Amino acid sequence: FAQNPRDAKSDTDPVNHWREVYNYRTALRHGHRGLRARERVSIGLIKEMHSMLMRIVRGAKDKTPGRIRAGRVGIGTTPN
């Protein structure tokens, strides 16, 4: 699995969790290598890592991997 996780058969397939961990590991290693080579964080590196994180995961079809969101995002609930 670590070399190439299979694609999930549904949104509830447990392989989704493994794929997400695999993607995090891949993206973090890429970022680490990029920082060692460039010695700085860049927008390009962040976009590359985001694209790797979103590769073949739940909801990825509706997202824009590697692109920065233009609008605000609310987190949590609004106070009453």
Side-chain angles (χ1 to χ4, degrees):
F1 178 83
Q3 296 300 317
N4 190 14
R6 69 172 173 82
D7 291 342
K9 300 198 183 325
S10 70
D11 282 346
T12 59
D13 189 336
V15 80
N16 285 311
H17 299 293
W18 290 106
R19 170 57 80 175
E20 290 168 7
V21 170
Y22 176 83
N23 287 357
Y24 270 100
R25 183 178 177 193
T26 301
L28 287 172
R29 284 184 171 184
H30 177 75
H32 185 252
R33 281 191 303 271
L35 288 175
R36 285 177 52 198
R38 301 175 202 158
E39 298 185 10
R40 64 179 204 165
V41 176
S42 67
I43 294 295
L45 181 60
I46 292 170
K47 288 179 176 183
E48 289 169 5
M49 291 173 66
H50 183 256
S51 183
M52 291 175 168
L53 284 172
M54 297 301 294
R55 197 171 292 149
I56 315 171
V57 292
R58 292 171 282 186
K61 294 176 208 159
D62 303 329
K63 308 296 182 205
T64 53
R67 299 179 85 193
I68 295 176
R69 193 177 287 159
R72 291 184 179 183
V73 176
I75 299 174
T77 59
T78 57
N80 292 338

